[in-house]
Amino acid sequence: MLDINNLKVSIAGKSILKGVSLHVKPGEIHAIMGPNGSGKSTLASVLTGREFAEVTEGTVTYMGNNLLEMSPEDRAKEGIFLGFQYPIEIPGVSMVNFMKTAVNEKRKHHGLDPLSASDFLKMMREKKELVEIDSKLANRSVNEGFSGGEKKKNEIFQMAMLEPKLAILDETDSGLDIDALRIVANGVNKLKKADNSFIVITHYQRLLDHIIPDVVHVLYDGRIVKTAGKELALELEAKGYDWIKKEVENNVIA
Amino acid sequence: MDKDQDKILDEVTTGEYKYGFHSDIESEQIQKGLSEDVVRIISAKKNEPDWLLEFRLKAYRHWLTMKMPAWPNLKIPVINYQDIIFYSAPKQKPKLNSLDEIDPELKRTFDKLGIPLEEQKHLAGVAVDAVMDSVSVKTTFREALAEMGIIFCSFSDAVHEYPDLVKRYMGTVVPYTDNFFASLNSAVFSDGSFCYIPKGVRCPMELSTYFRINAANTGQFERTLLVADEESYVSYLEGCTAPSRDENQLHAAIVEIIAEKNSEVKYSTVQNWYPGDKDGKGGIFNFVTKRGMCRGENSKISWTQIETGSAITWKYPSCILRGDNSTGEFYSVAVTNNHQQADTGTKMIHIGKNTKSTIVSKGISAGKGQNSYRGLVKILKNASNARNFSQCDSLLLGDKCGAHTFPYLEVDNQTAIVEHEATTSKIGEDQIFYCNQRGISTEDAIGMIVNGYAREVINKLPMEFAVEAQKLLQISLEGSVG
Ligand SMILES: Nc1ncnc2c1ncn2[C@@H]1O[C@H](COP(=O)(O)OP(=O)(O)OP(=O)(O)O)[C@@H](O)[C@H]1O
Ligand SMILES: [Mg+2]
């Protein structure tokens, strides 16, 4: 589904990703962990086509296509979804209008007719229930005045509406209370199918208690320095990153 | 990134004006230029009574003593009034079968503008007065409305059929001495709409006037007079377009509204005159005096305007709140793109007790557009417990445009409560990317964000027109981003 090879990225001339390789197969859940500033969000930015992240080397192939050549909206319509670390407010634009446009743009891209108003509202209702989002949130302007946790839940709701093939969740768990965490995790689990994949960026094992990853990566200083099974997350939780940093430094010296 | 921004900003100019066509309609015109003779000719063409000719001549003589206002934040080229044709009427083919029939070419023109002149084809519940250049070519639903005592006709017809009403109200809100352009209009106005809602009647349809400039080198000077008698209600809408031409054309109109006791008037404008090309060539000069008088107690006048067109806009729809407990409202969205300039706002004059006014102004600047809000809130000595709330927001797309606010406040009564809020914002790249990431193109994202920003005002429009206004906003900003 997604093949990242030796990806190097700089922002404003400063090198941020220094050769990342990552391979995600359909149906897999990958977790990416790593200290603040290591480049996790930058990776998400590159995959979704933000302009400020400049690719200097490497390739990214998504479902057989050169992802880096696609526009951000085409990537979205081809099934890439980003749950933003910091969701954006758009005053005056209703969630209904926003989602309806998004859903119908995607349908158009795939040669489908737009959903009728009633079909669309039915879909909204179903997905709201699926991810247990408060009905009222969907009647407000996009993220406007939402609390931190509400914004994160709203990202999961949008993911449910857009049914992506590859969802990248950037710290969707931070700022959530225990119930909300369960809701977000359940949302992911319910949406998980044999042919869609997730990249879950997180700092905490507790999310991975609910969403069981197939692979856990540690991104450190722009490189994936460790890749292992779900037990790696537990180890990180118990020991922190210091031992990884030491390992990396020793490797460099050796 | 800067380069990209430039590229996208450049695309601003790809937004094409959709109504720039010209119809091949023979017209009857008088020689260009302005003089007392021209005023007399216009009056004679319209077969006017003496009192109206007198009014015109007084206005003309007064105008000669006046100078164009210099205070607006606008760069206005010199206008040569001897180069303008002040009267141009589409020539009606020799009378067809019935009185109601109109020239097919005229009909086609209005069809093309989305304003069918046959009643059965029109949006249910909307009556239209269609004005081309200097004359009204058709007023729909006149008879149906007349059954309720509502008068809705061209200004010229009103002069002949309801001279007493016209005489009683014309010039009482905007006197012919009011300002340079109002004096000019009073001297040479050609047509427009007249509307009278009798006591106790709620007008069951939207009344609307559609103004079209077609002929070249002409000016359009229309006059609208709207009277809501006691306990009545009317919602009125005007729209306007013009062909794309390299020369500027002048449009100097007057709108007067009178609201008697317990009446309510909603006046909405969707202004889409030709804005000029991307280099600032051509376009309409839109210099308009609009004013409403809340004469009776508990009366209410509400102005809503969506201003997307014109090379230069100079207009301040205002309310004189004379009746106790009367209410004035002004909701405005003004867009300036490319080289467009707008200096627009309102005046709320509180005279009566417990009078209330609300001002919501949303300026949107893109390209090299310059957008100024100018508003006066004046509370007179006897206007105890007057209240005003003003909110002036500016949205910038790109960094070559400008937004300015000029609020004026004159309070002569201690009990008044006046609030003013102002914000300036830019469309964020973050917002656009957020939309992109959901599969929405940058173009659509901007349309959506701008419409979200303007929603409070658009919501005030009659339903049928709100959708049109949204599309128009999107079109007039096509491709722009900041
Ligand atoms: N737009 C930008 N301009 C300049 N520097 C940036 C920009 N975005 C990210 N960076 C820098 O790139 C580095 C990686 O940032 P990134 O947001 O990818 O880290 P992260 O791993 O997601 O961290 P966190 O866990 O705190 O979210 C940081 O040093 C950050 O300051
Ligand atoms: Mg991050």
PDB file of all heavy atoms in Angstrom, chain A residues 13-38:
ATOM      1  N   GLY A  13      15.239  24.777   4.673  1.00  0.00           N
ATOM      2  CA  GLY A  13      16.666  24.514   4.538  1.00  0.00           C
ATOM      3  C   GLY A  13      17.259  23.621   5.614  1.00  0.00           C
ATOM      4  O   GLY A  13      18.392  23.161   5.512  1.00  0.00           O
ATOM      5  N   LYS A  14      16.466  23.337   6.654  1.00  0.00           N
ATOM      6  CA  LYS A  14      16.992  22.518   7.746  1.00  0.00           C
ATOM      7  C   LYS A  14      16.549  21.065   7.552  1.00  0.00           C
ATOM      8  O   LYS A  14      15.365  20.797   7.326  1.00  0.00           O
ATOM      9  CB  LYS A  14      16.442  23.075   9.061  1.00  0.00           C
ATOM     10  CG  LYS A  14      17.001  22.419  10.293  1.00  0.00           C
ATOM     11  CD  LYS A  14      16.402  23.055  11.556  1.00  0.00           C
ATOM     12  CE  LYS A  14      16.361  22.048  12.685  1.00  0.00           C
ATOM     13  NZ  LYS A  14      15.179  22.176  13.519  1.00  0.00           N
ATOM     14  N   SER A  15      17.499  20.167   7.613  1.00  0.00           N
ATOM     15  CA  SER A  15      17.183  18.768   7.366  1.00  0.00           C
ATOM     16  C   SER A  15      16.407  18.173   8.551  1.00  0.00           C
ATOM     17  O   SER A  15      16.872  18.212   9.689  1.00  0.00           O
ATOM     18  CB  SER A  15      18.500  18.030   7.111  1.00  0.00           C
ATOM     19  OG  SER A  15      18.328  16.677   7.348  1.00  0.00           O
ATOM     20  N   ILE A  16      15.245  17.629   8.285  1.00  0.00           N
ATOM     21  CA  ILE A  16      14.398  17.111   9.371  1.00  0.00           C
ATOM     22  C   ILE A  16      14.289  15.583   9.297  1.00  0.00           C
ATOM     23  O   ILE A  16      14.505  14.894  10.282  1.00  0.00           O
ATOM     24  CB  ILE A  16      12.965  17.709   9.303  1.00  0.00           C
ATOM     25  CG1 ILE A  16      13.015  19.239   9.271  1.00  0.00           C
ATOM     26  CG2 ILE A  16      12.128  17.223  10.486  1.00  0.00           C
ATOM     27  CD1 ILE A  16      13.423  19.928  10.532  1.00  0.00           C
ATOM     28  N   LEU A  17      13.933  15.063   8.123  1.00  0.00           N
ATOM     29  CA  LEU A  17      13.927  13.601   7.966  1.00  0.00           C
ATOM     30  C   LEU A  17      15.192  13.225   7.204  1.00  0.00           C
ATOM     31  O   LEU A  17      15.499  13.786   6.161  1.00  0.00           O
ATOM     32  CB  LEU A  17      12.678  13.135   7.209  1.00  0.00           C
ATOM     33  CG  LEU A  17      11.326  13.376   7.896  1.00  0.00           C
ATOM     34  CD1 LEU A  17      10.194  12.789   7.063  1.00  0.00           C
ATOM     35  CD2 LEU A  17      11.305  12.807   9.307  1.00  0.00           C
ATOM     36  N   LYS A  18      15.904  12.230   7.762  1.00  0.00           N
ATOM     37  CA  LYS A  18      17.255  11.982   7.236  1.00  0.00           C
ATOM     38  C   LYS A  18      17.393  10.581   6.664  1.00  0.00           C
ATOM     39  O   LYS A  18      18.378   9.903   6.911  1.00  0.00           O
ATOM     40  CB  LYS A  18      18.261  12.209   8.370  1.00  0.00           C
ATOM     41  CG  LYS A  18      18.176  13.633   8.931  1.00  0.00           C
ATOM     42  CD  LYS A  18      18.913  13.779  10.235  1.00  0.00           C
ATOM     43  CE  LYS A  18      18.782  15.212  10.742  1.00  0.00           C
ATOM     44  NZ  LYS A  18      19.343  15.362  12.095  1.00  0.00           N
ATOM     45  N   GLY A  19      16.397  10.168   5.910  1.00  0.00           N
ATOM     46  CA  GLY A  19      16.477   8.833   5.307  1.00  0.00           C
ATOM     47  C   GLY A  19      15.533   7.867   5.981  1.00  0.00           C
ATOM     48  O   GLY A  19      15.961   6.970   6.710  1.00  0.00           O
ATOM     49  N   VAL A  20      14.240   8.058   5.781  1.00  0.00           N
ATOM     50  CA  VAL A  20      13.232   7.200   6.413  1.00  0.00           C
ATOM     51  C   VAL A  20      12.737   6.177   5.396  1.00  0.00           C
ATOM     52  O   VAL A  20      12.412   6.524   4.265  1.00  0.00           O
ATOM     53  CB  VAL A  20      12.048   8.035   6.927  1.00  0.00           C
ATOM     54  CG1 VAL A  20      10.897   7.144   7.352  1.00  0.00           C
ATOM     55  CG2 VAL A  20      12.490   8.936   8.072  1.00  0.00           C
ATOM     56  N   SER A  21      12.706   4.917   5.813  1.00  0.00           N
ATOM     57  CA  SER A  21      12.089   3.884   4.984  1.00  0.00           C
ATOM     58  C   SER A  21      11.001   3.210   5.806  1.00  0.00           C
ATOM     59  O   SER A  21      11.193   2.933   6.995  1.00  0.00           O
ATOM     60  CB  SER A  21      13.120   2.853   4.541  1.00  0.00           C
ATOM     61  OG  SER A  21      14.076   3.491   3.711  1.00  0.00           O
ATOM     62  N   LEU A  22       9.857   2.970   5.163  1.00  0.00           N
ATOM     63  CA  LEU A  22       8.727   2.409   5.905  1.00  0.00           C
ATOM     64  C   LEU A  22       7.827   1.714   4.896  1.00  0.00           C
ATOM     65  O   LEU A  22       7.562   2.254   3.817  1.00  0.00           O
ATOM     66  CB  LEU A  22       7.974   3.555   6.593  1.00  0.00           C
ATOM     67  CG  LEU A  22       6.781   3.226   7.487  1.00  0.00           C
ATOM     68  CD1 LEU A  22       7.260   2.505   8.734  1.00  0.00           C
ATOM     69  CD2 LEU A  22       6.060   4.515   7.895  1.00  0.00           C
ATOM     70  N   HIS A  23       7.364   0.513   5.236  1.00  0.00           N
ATOM     71  CA  HIS A  23       6.522  -0.234   4.296  1.00  0.00           C
ATOM     72  C   HIS A  23       5.256  -0.694   5.000  1.00  0.00           C
ATOM     73  O   HIS A  23       5.327  -1.396   6.003  1.00  0.00           O
ATOM     74  CB  HIS A  23       7.298  -1.427   3.737  1.00  0.00           C
ATOM     75  CG  HIS A  23       8.581  -0.996   3.096  1.00  0.00           C
ATOM     76  ND1 HIS A  23       8.640  -0.479   1.827  1.00  0.00           N
ATOM     77  CD2 HIS A  23       9.856  -0.933   3.596  1.00  0.00           C
ATOM     78  CE1 HIS A  23       9.889  -0.145   1.544  1.00  0.00           C
ATOM     79  NE2 HIS A  23      10.644  -0.398   2.621  1.00  0.00           N
ATOM     80  N   VAL A  24       4.130  -0.223   4.504  1.00  0.00           N
ATOM     81  CA  VAL A  24       2.854  -0.551   5.145  1.00  0.00           C
ATOM     82  C   VAL A  24       2.034  -1.388   4.175  1.00  0.00           C
ATOM     83  O   VAL A  24       1.799  -0.982   3.035  1.00  0.00           O
ATOM     84  CB  VAL A  24       2.074   0.726   5.518  1.00  0.00           C
ATOM     85  CG1 VAL A  24       0.753   0.387   6.194  1.00  0.00           C
ATOM     86  CG2 VAL A  24       2.922   1.626   6.408  1.00  0.00           C
ATOM     87  N   LYS A  25       1.608  -2.570   4.638  1.00  0.00           N
ATOM     88  CA  LYS A  25       0.774  -3.428   3.783  1.00  0.00           C
ATOM     89  C   LYS A  25      -0.696  -3.234   4.134  1.00  0.00           C
ATOM     90  O   LYS A  25      -1.039  -2.790   5.234  1.00  0.00           O
ATOM     91  CB  LYS A  25       1.169  -4.889   4.000  1.00  0.00           C
ATOM     92  CG  LYS A  25       2.579  -5.218   3.545  1.00  0.00           C
ATOM     93  CD  LYS A  25       2.696  -6.738   3.391  1.00  0.00           C
ATOM     94  CE  LYS A  25       4.145  -7.168   3.250  1.00  0.00           C
ATOM     95  NZ  LYS A  25       4.911  -7.030   4.529  1.00  0.00           N
ATOM     96  N   PRO A  26      -1.565  -3.592   3.208  1.00  0.00           N
ATOM     97  CA  PRO A  26      -2.998  -3.462   3.500  1.00  0.00           C
ATOM     98  C   PRO A  26      -3.364  -4.230   4.769  1.00  0.00           C
ATOM     99  O   PRO A  26      -2.862  -5.331   4.986  1.00  0.00           O
ATOM    100  CB  PRO A  26      -3.676  -4.087   2.275  1.00  0.00           C
ATOM    101  CG  PRO A  26      -2.669  -4.018   1.182  1.00  0.00           C
ATOM    102  CD  PRO A  26      -1.334  -4.090   1.839  1.00  0.00           C
ATOM    103  N   GLY A  27      -4.193  -3.609   5.592  1.00  0.00           N
ATOM    104  CA  GLY A  27      -4.666  -4.277   6.796  1.00  0.00           C
ATOM    105  C   GLY A  27      -3.743  -4.118   7.995  1.00  0.00           C
ATOM    106  O   GLY A  27      -4.062  -4.565   9.089  1.00  0.00           O
ATOM    107  N   GLU A  28      -2.608  -3.463   7.820  1.00  0.00           N
ATOM    108  CA  GLU A  28      -1.671  -3.337   8.942  1.00  0.00           C
ATOM    109  C   GLU A  28      -1.891  -2.056   9.740  1.00  0.00           C
ATOM    110  O   GLU A  28      -2.293  -1.041   9.187  1.00  0.00           O
ATOM    111  CB  GLU A  28      -0.226  -3.320   8.422  1.00  0.00           C
ATOM    112  CG  GLU A  28       0.274  -4.673   7.982  1.00  0.00           C
ATOM    113  CD  GLU A  28       1.733  -4.649   7.521  1.00  0.00           C
ATOM    114  OE1 GLU A  28       2.298  -3.539   7.294  1.00  0.00           O
ATOM    115  OE2 GLU A  28       2.298  -5.735   7.388  1.00  0.00           O
ATOM    116  N   ILE A  29      -1.556  -2.140  11.004  1.00  0.00           N
ATOM    117  CA  ILE A  29      -1.505  -0.935  11.832  1.00  0.00           C
ATOM    118  C   ILE A  29      -0.058  -0.723  12.277  1.00  0.00           C
ATOM    119  O   ILE A  29       0.537  -1.599  12.892  1.00  0.00           O
ATOM    120  CB  ILE A  29      -2.413  -1.074  13.080  1.00  0.00           C
ATOM    121  CG1 ILE A  29      -3.873  -1.234  12.662  1.00  0.00           C
ATOM    122  CG2 ILE A  29      -2.240   0.134  13.996  1.00  0.00           C
ATOM    123  CD1 ILE A  29      -4.834  -1.395  13.833  1.00  0.00           C
ATOM    124  N   HIS A  30       0.481   0.426  11.910  1.00  0.00           N
ATOM    125  CA  HIS A  30       1.840   0.767  12.339  1.00  0.00           C
ATOM    126  C   HIS A  30       1.763   1.893  13.367  1.00  0.00           C
ATOM    127  O   HIS A  30       1.034   2.850  13.172  1.00  0.00           O
ATOM    128  CB  HIS A  30       2.672   1.263  11.147  1.00  0.00           C
ATOM    129  CG  HIS A  30       3.056   0.173  10.198  1.00  0.00           C
ATOM    130  ND1 HIS A  30       4.350  -0.078   9.831  1.00  0.00           N
ATOM    131  CD2 HIS A  30       2.293  -0.753   9.546  1.00  0.00           C
ATOM    132  CE1 HIS A  30       4.384  -1.105   8.979  1.00  0.00           C
ATOM    133  NE2 HIS A  30       3.135  -1.531   8.787  1.00  0.00           N
ATOM    134  N   ALA A  31       2.514   1.730  14.426  1.00  0.00           N
ATOM    135  CA  ALA A  31       2.613   2.829  15.389  1.00  0.00           C
ATOM    136  C   ALA A  31       3.967   3.491  15.222  1.00  0.00           C
ATOM    137  O   ALA A  31       4.965   2.813  14.994  1.00  0.00           O
ATOM    138  CB  ALA A  31       2.450   2.291  16.803  1.00  0.00           C
ATOM    139  N   ILE A  32       3.967   4.819  15.259  1.00  0.00           N
ATOM    140  CA  ILE A  32       5.243   5.534  15.254  1.00  0.00           C
ATOM    141  C   ILE A  32       5.357   6.318  16.548  1.00  0.00           C
ATOM    142  O   ILE A  32       4.463   7.087  16.911  1.00  0.00           O
ATOM    143  CB  ILE A  32       5.359   6.497  14.047  1.00  0.00           C
ATOM    144  CG1 ILE A  32       5.287   5.701  12.732  1.00  0.00           C
ATOM    145  CG2 ILE A  32       6.664   7.296  14.123  1.00  0.00           C
ATOM    146  CD1 ILE A  32       5.441   6.553  11.485  1.00  0.00           C
ATOM    147  N   MET A  33       6.429   6.044  17.268  1.00  0.00           N
ATOM    148  CA  MET A  33       6.679   6.761  18.512  1.00  0.00           C
ATOM    149  C   MET A  33       8.000   7.507  18.361  1.00  0.00           C
ATOM    150  O   MET A  33       8.680   7.347  17.358  1.00  0.00           O
ATOM    151  CB  MET A  33       6.715   5.777  19.679  1.00  0.00           C
ATOM    152  CG  MET A  33       5.417   4.947  19.758  1.00  0.00           C
ATOM    153  SD  MET A  33       5.357   3.775  21.124  1.00  0.00           S
ATOM    154  CE  MET A  33       4.901   4.850  22.469  1.00  0.00           C
ATOM    155  N   GLY A  34       8.322   8.286  19.358  1.00  0.00           N
ATOM    156  CA  GLY A  34       9.598   9.008  19.281  1.00  0.00           C
ATOM    157  C   GLY A  34       9.493  10.329  19.990  1.00  0.00           C
ATOM    158  O   GLY A  34       8.409  10.878  20.145  1.00  0.00           O
ATOM    159  N   PRO A  35      10.642  10.815  20.469  1.00  0.00           N
ATOM    160  CA  PRO A  35      10.631  12.049  21.265  1.00  0.00           C
ATOM    161  C   PRO A  35      10.117  13.261  20.482  1.00  0.00           C
ATOM    162  O   PRO A  35      10.069  13.237  19.256  1.00  0.00           O
ATOM    163  CB  PRO A  35      12.098  12.244  21.652  1.00  0.00           C
ATOM    164  CG  PRO A  35      12.886  11.217  20.945  1.00  0.00           C
ATOM    165  CD  PRO A  35      11.976  10.248  20.299  1.00  0.00           C
ATOM    166  N   ASN A  36       9.770  14.291  21.214  1.00  0.00           N
ATOM    167  CA  ASN A  36       9.302  15.543  20.595  1.00  0.00           C
ATOM    168  C   ASN A  36      10.326  16.050  19.601  1.00  0.00           C
ATOM    169  O   ASN A  36      11.528  15.997  19.855  1.00  0.00           O
ATOM    170  CB  ASN A  36       9.093  16.633  21.656  1.00  0.00           C
ATOM    171  CG  ASN A  36       7.982  16.279  22.636  1.00  0.00           C
ATOM    172  OD1 ASN A  36       8.148  16.363  23.833  1.00  0.00           O
ATOM    173  ND2 ASN A  36       6.848  15.865  22.116  1.00  0.00           N
ATOM    174  N   GLY A  37       9.822  16.521  18.508  1.00  0.00           N
ATOM    175  CA  GLY A  37      10.719  17.152  17.532  1.00  0.00           C
ATOM    176  C   GLY A  37      11.493  16.175  16.677  1.00  0.00           C
ATOM    177  O   GLY A  37      12.376  16.565  15.918  1.00  0.00           O
ATOM    178  N   SER A  38      11.176  14.876  16.763  1.00  0.00           N
ATOM    179  CA  SER A  38      11.965  13.902  16.010  1.00  0.00           C
ATOM    180  C   SER A  38      11.546  13.842  14.547  1.00  0.00           C
ATOM    181  O   SER A  38      12.254  13.280  13.718  1.00  0.00           O
ATOM    182  CB  SER A  38      11.856  12.520  16.661  1.00  0.00           C
ATOM    183  OG  SER A  38      10.498  12.141  16.754  1.00  0.00           O
TER     184      SER A  38
END
